[in-house]
Amino acid sequence: MNFVRELVKYNSKMNIGIIGLGTVSRGFLEILQEKTNWVSQKFETDIKVVAIKDIMKGNMYNPKGIDINILLQKLDKGENINDDSLKDEHPLSKIEDIDLIIEASYSDYKTGDPAYTFIKDALSNGKHVVTTNKGPVALHYTELNKLAIKNNVSLRYEGTVLSGTPTFSLIEECLAGDDITEIRGILNGTSNYILSKMAGGESFENALGVAQQKGYAEADPTNDVKGYDARGKVAILSHKVFGVDLGLNSISTKGIDAISKKELDAAKKEGKNIRLIGSLKKTGNTIEAKVQPEALGQDDALSNIDGVTNAIEISTVYLGKIMITGPGAGKLETGYSVFSDVLSVIKNF
Amino acid sequence: MNFVRELVKYNSKMNIGIIGLGTVSRGFLEILQEKTNWVSQKFETDIKVVAIKDIMKGNMYNPKGIDINILLQKLDKGENINDDSLKDEHPLSKIEDIDLIIEASYSDYKTGDPAYTFIKDALSNGKHVVTTNKGPVALHYTELNKLAIKNNVSLRYEGTVLSGTPTFSLIEECLAGDDITEIRGILNGTSNYILSKMAGGESFENALGVAQQKGYAEADPTNDVKGYDARGKVAILSHKVFGVDLGLNSISTKGIDAISKKELDAAKKEGKNIRLIGSLKKTGNTIEAKVQPEALGQDDALSNIDGVTNAIEISTVYLGKIMITGPGAGKLETGYSVFSDVLSVIKNF
């Protein structure tokens, strides 16, 4: 008698937990909904979202995978997602069958919490982490990176700079064989939008008002207009590219709220554009980092970046100057940064 | 009696053969000289150049690895490198201990030879191939790609478009999870340099003369000014990004030699810049591809790309528009494309 045995190939699994159901997670879920089958085929990995926690919208846990379609419909209707499957006091980091946690709650630039604590707990419990929260990465990268290495998991944060526009993946994957000597960037879309409007004759106050109406600027625009958001991103770039923890306070920071009408007029007269530039320059073992408005001539590629667009110019030893330009915010744009990070984890582990 | 056994970790090997010792290979060798130890540590792989063939400069074969330092010194002095270790009639593709062949000879857009034959022989004999020759990739991608898959080796050609500026690695590594709908690019630095000069008032003939003096344009500038070089790159992008073999003849192509003084003046009056744009647009299953001079307003990011700089704007479903800008030629710039491709082969095999 002959037994015919079929060789069945099983995919790997990637069970995801999500902390925070805001715009970013929504964008990620919409992309994942479209791309689940593609990931299964291309990477031989089955992605499932098994748990979600949101302080406002509720909690869910389903080890077989949450139906994203139904979830998105509930969110569209503004419904609470709670189904008593996961208690508030039960942290995602303690759920054994979660492989990766998407941390998309909120944070500040003072302590980085609550995001910082969520990330720390996740890494300590052997979960990969993808985050879009700048605070914890800017403030605690050294500690979190060590924790990730110690637990043999990945900590990724593509969305913290230029949303989904490839920045860290570009540096890691495409520029690995080159040496970066300098980075200059338009890292804050809100302030660039305001500057573009001001160049067209608007006052700072009016331009800010329009930015707030359009949803580019928050009700409290301090982080954007004072340069603190750009500074946080400069700190993250310094960690990642140069391996140096500068500390936020040692990054000299001027915002766009300090620009006078006189400076604007003078720049215009010379055919220049004022841009808020975050920059890092390596000389020997020293990193010079700062954030400030700069009047840039037309021959400076960053001068021509208008509106909410972000851009980073990277100087390297072999390539000279290259520049990547793209969105700095947005639901699908930042959602893609998370999706892209999840793919990187799948590829590398 | 106790025997203490030490666990010795051996690096993998990557033995390289080089066909063609022009500027590109020189650039690669200079980079490799600086980076051999780094590769050994980071990728646990020992790179050696074991064989070289150049129709003018001679042949070399040393299974223990050619001393790059001495080789570069010889080339600097314009000396022939022949040492009777490798006969003219002995092809690199038949040397068993070569893992990867860098094909940097020359080719045209008619047959793609001799580069095409070198690549085909290398792949058929189970060697990975890195090439910077556009002809064979533009004309024979479908066949060469099949051959690579069949022989379980890699065929890489980062340097064929935008030299070492990350293009294919960006698309492969960073945009894998997104879907590209349109590509527009300034793909030919020579014609962009001429256009930049013409916008400043120079005649086409004078601008071309300066480009030739500076070494940007060749003695026979046909491929650059007639748009054929850009067309070849559009064909390569179509193969890679959309998996479609358009055939060079079906890509509508106009060069910059056809631009009239009247068109230039009209563009200037409207505050526009004329740029030679290679473009691909996917609608359903159709790819519309063309090369032509276009008058672009200041709100078009490609309008502001000046001189020999190249740029590609990529439209995707999730990110919208992103753009990468960088060098399109140069010794270290293109040498880096080869180095970067070699690293990709090491990472993936």
Side-chain angles (χ1 to χ4, degrees):
Chain A
M1 230 173 118
N2 278 328
F3 290 94
V4 181
R5 286 193 199 186
E6 239 179 81
L7 191 70
V8 181
K9 196 166 182 187
Y10 290 102
N11 275 3
S12 309
K13 74 167 182 74
M14 173 58 73
N15 285 352
I16 293 176
I18 296 177
I19 304 177
L21 258 187
T23 314
V24 172
S25 295
R26 288 284 294 272
F28 167 72
L29 288 168
E30 289 176 25
I31 293 172
L32 183 61
Q33 192 184 22
E34 292 179 4
K35 291 285 187 181
T36 301
N37 289 337
W38 173 81
V39 174
S40 168
Q41 281 157 30
K42 174 145 179 134
F43 298 99
E44 292 168 1
T45 299
D46 295 325
I47 296 191
K48 277 189 290 201
V49 175
V50 297
I52 294 175
K53 273 204 142 181
D54 185 279
I55 201 169
M56 302 292 289
K57 292 170 192 137
N59 311 329
M60 284 179 93
Y61 173 56
N62 183 346
K64 291 181 181 162
I66 291 165
D67 187 316
I68 296 176
N69 217 356
I70 295 173
L71 172 67
L72 288 172
Q73 282 171 21
K74 276 193 183 177
L75 291 172
D76 279 343
K77 291 185 206 149
E79 289 175 13
N80 193 293
I81 63 162
N82 239 338
D83 61 1
D84 292 325
S85 53
L86 184 64
K87 293 217 169 82
D88 274 347
E89 57 271 27
H90 196 131
L92 296 196
S93 59
K94 296 287 183 197
I95 298 180
E96 207 169 318
D97 64 348
I98 288 180
D99 304 300
L100 183 150
I101 288 179
I102 293 169
E103 191 293 306
S105 62
Y106 55 97
S107 74
D108 59 33
Y109 280 123
K110 286 187 188 98
T111 64
D113 264 325
Y116 165 54
T117 303
F118 289 140
I119 296 171
K120 213 166 44 171
D121 288 349
L123 295 173
S124 303
N125 283 284
K127 317 292 188 198
H128 303 291
V129 171
V130 171
T131 186
T132 53
N133 261 308
K134 289 156 277 187
V137 187
L139 293 166
H140 305 291
Y141 178 86
T142 309
E143 180 200 1
L144 295 175
N145 188 43
K146 270 188 197 158
L147 207 51
I149 292 168
K150 187 182 156 200
N151 288 282
N152 194 30
V153 287
S154 194
L155 167 65
R156 301 194 67 87
Y157 41 86
E158 178 70 84
T160 57
V161 179
L162 265 66
S163 74
T165 305
T167 305
F168 298 115
S169 59
L170 177 80
I171 289 168
E172 265 178 29
E173 299 288 346
C174 309
L175 300 177
D178 207 340
D179 295 301
I180 295 173
T181 53
E182 189 174 357
I183 293 180
R184 299 167 65 233
I186 293 175
L187 305 171
N188 180 272
T190 309
S191 55
N192 205 55
Y193 178 83
I194 294 172
L195 287 172
S196 303
K197 284 271 159 199
M198 285 168 79
E202 295 268 13
S203 70
F204 172 76
E205 288 74 17
N206 281 353
L208 173 59
V210 178
Q212 282 169 326
Q213 273 167 34
K214 290 199 175 235
Y216 297 151
E218 292 178 49
D220 176 3
T222 312
N223 277 339
D224 294 326
V225 302
K226 293 261 181 209
Y228 300 153
D229 178 69
R231 178 177 68 177
K233 291 164 179 173
V234 165
I236 296 173
L237 285 163
S238 175
H239 280 300
K240 178 68 187 177
V241 177
F242 298 116
V244 172
D245 182 357
L246 292 169
L248 289 180
N249 290 330
S250 76
I251 300 170
S252 152
T253 303
K254 262 198 230 172
I256 61 163
D257 57 337
I259 302 169
S260 67
K261 178 90 175 60
K262 206 174 134 193
E263 288 170 299
L264 266 173
D265 290 345
K268 209 169 184 178
K269 220 170 157 182
E270 295 172 36
K272 292 179 173 176
N273 289 318
I274 295 186
R275 294 286 173 260
L276 184 70
I277 301 297
S279 63
L280 297 119
K281 190 174 181 172
K282 191 183 179 188
T283 315
N285 286 322
T286 313
I287 307 294
E288 194 193 334
K290 55 178 184 282
V291 173
Q292 63 182 24
E294 297 181 10
L296 307 177
Q298 292 302 317
D299 56 337
D300 191 315
L302 292 173
S303 168
N304 300 309
I305 306 298
D306 264 323
V308 291
T309 304
N310 286 15
I312 289 187
E313 182 191 78
I314 303 173
S315 299
T316 78
V317 171
Y318 301 131
L319 288 178
K321 284 180 184 174
I322 69 158
M323 189 163 93
I324 183 106
T325 311
K331 181 174 72 168
L332 288 173
E333 293 84 343
T334 314
Y336 179 74
S337 79
V338 174
F339 183 60
S340 168
D341 275 345
V342 170
L343 293 184
S344 290
V345 173
I346 289 175
K347 276 193 287 183
N348 294 316
F349 275 89
Chain B
M1 229 172 119
N2 278 326
F3 290 93
V4 181
R5 288 195 199 182
E6 237 179 81
L7 190 70
V8 182
K9 196 166 182 187
Y10 289 101
N11 275 5
S12 310
K13 74 167 183 72
M14 173 57 74
N15 285 353
I16 293 176
I18 296 177
I19 304 177
L21 257 187
T23 314
V24 172
S25 295
R26 288 284 295 273
F28 167 72
L29 288 167
E30 289 177 24
I31 293 172
L32 183 61
Q33 193 183 20
E34 292 180 4
K35 291 286 186 179
T36 301
N37 289 338
W38 173 79
V39 174
S40 169
Q41 281 158 29
K42 172 144 180 136
F43 298 98
E44 291 168 2
T45 300
D46 294 326
I47 296 192
K48 276 188 292 200
V49 175
V50 296
I52 293 174
K53 273 205 142 181
D54 185 281
I55 201 169
M56 302 291 290
K57 292 170 191 141
N59 310 328
M60 284 179 93
Y61 174 56
N62 183 346
K64 290 181 181 162
I66 291 166
D67 186 316
I68 296 175
N69 217 357
I70 294 173
L71 173 67
L72 287 171
Q73 283 172 19
K74 277 194 181 177
L75 291 172
D76 278 343
K77 291 184 204 149
E79 288 175 14
N80 193 293
I81 63 161
N82 239 337
D83 61 0
D84 293 324
S85 53
L86 184 64
K87 293 219 168 80
D88 274 346
E89 58 272 25
H90 197 132
L92 296 198
S93 58
K94 296 288 184 195
I95 298 179
E96 207 169 318
D97 64 348
I98 288 180
D99 304 300
L100 182 151
I101 289 181
I102 293 169
E103 191 293 306
S105 63
Y106 54 98
S107 74
D108 58 33
Y109 281 121
K110 284 184 191 103
T111 65
D113 265 324
Y116 166 52
T117 304
F118 289 140
I119 295 171
K120 213 166 44 170
D121 289 349
L123 295 173
S124 303
N125 284 283
K127 316 294 189 199
H128 303 290
V129 171
V130 171
T131 186
T132 53
N133 262 307
K134 287 157 277 185
V137 187
L139 292 166
H140 306 290
Y141 178 86
T142 310
E143 179 199 0
L144 296 174
N145 188 43
K146 271 188 196 158
L147 207 51
I149 292 168
K150 187 182 155 198
N151 288 281
N152 194 30
V153 287
S154 195
L155 166 64
R156 300 195 66 90
Y157 41 87
E158 178 70 83
T160 59
V161 178
L162 267 65
S163 74
T165 306
T167 304
F168 298 116
S169 59
L170 177 79
I171 289 168
E172 265 178 31
E173 300 287 346
C174 308
L175 300 178
D178 207 341
D179 294 303
I180 295 174
T181 54
E182 189 174 356
I183 293 180
R184 299 165 66 233
I186 292 175
L187 306 170
N188 181 272
T190 308
S191 55
N192 205 56
Y193 179 83
I194 293 172
L195 286 173
S196 303
K197 284 270 159 197
M198 285 168 76
E202 294 267 12
S203 70
F204 172 75
E205 291 72 19
N206 280 355
L208 174 59
V210 177
Q212 283 169 326
Q213 275 168 34
K214 290 198 175 235
Y216 297 150
E218 292 180 47
D220 176 3
T222 312
N223 277 339
D224 294 326
V225 301
K226 294 262 180 207
Y228 300 154
D229 178 70
R231 179 178 66 177
K233 291 165 179 170
V234 166
I236 296 172
L237 285 163
S238 176
H239 280 299
K240 179 69 189 177
V241 177
F242 298 115
V244 171
D245 183 356
L246 293 170
L248 289 181
N249 291 329
S250 76
I251 300 170
S252 153
T253 303
K254 261 197 232 172
I256 60 162
D257 56 338
I259 301 169
S260 66
K261 178 92 174 60
K262 207 173 132 193
E263 289 170 299
L264 266 171
D265 290 344
K268 208 168 184 176
K269 221 170 158 183
E270 296 172 34
K272 292 179 172 176
N273 288 319
I274 295 186
R275 294 287 173 257
L276 184 69
I277 302 297
S279 63
L280 296 119
K281 189 174 182 174
K282 192 183 178 186
T283 316
N285 286 321
T286 313
I287 307 295
E288 194 193 333
K290 56 180 184 280
V291 174
Q292 64 184 23
E294 296 179 12
L296 308 177
Q298 293 300 318
D299 56 338
D300 190 315
L302 292 172
S303 167
N304 300 310
I305 306 299
D306 264 323
V308 292
T309 303
N310 285 16
I312 288 187
E313 182 191 79
I314 303 174
S315 299
T316 78
V317 171
Y318 302 132
L319 288 177
K321 286 180 182 171
I322 69 157
M323 190 163 92
I324 182 104
T325 311
K331 181 175 73 170
L332 288 174
E333 292 85 344
T334 313
Y336 178 73
S337 79
V338 174
F339 183 61
S340 169
D341 274 345
V342 169
L343 293 184
S344 290
V345 174
I346 290 175
K347 275 193 285 182
N348 294 315
F349 276 88

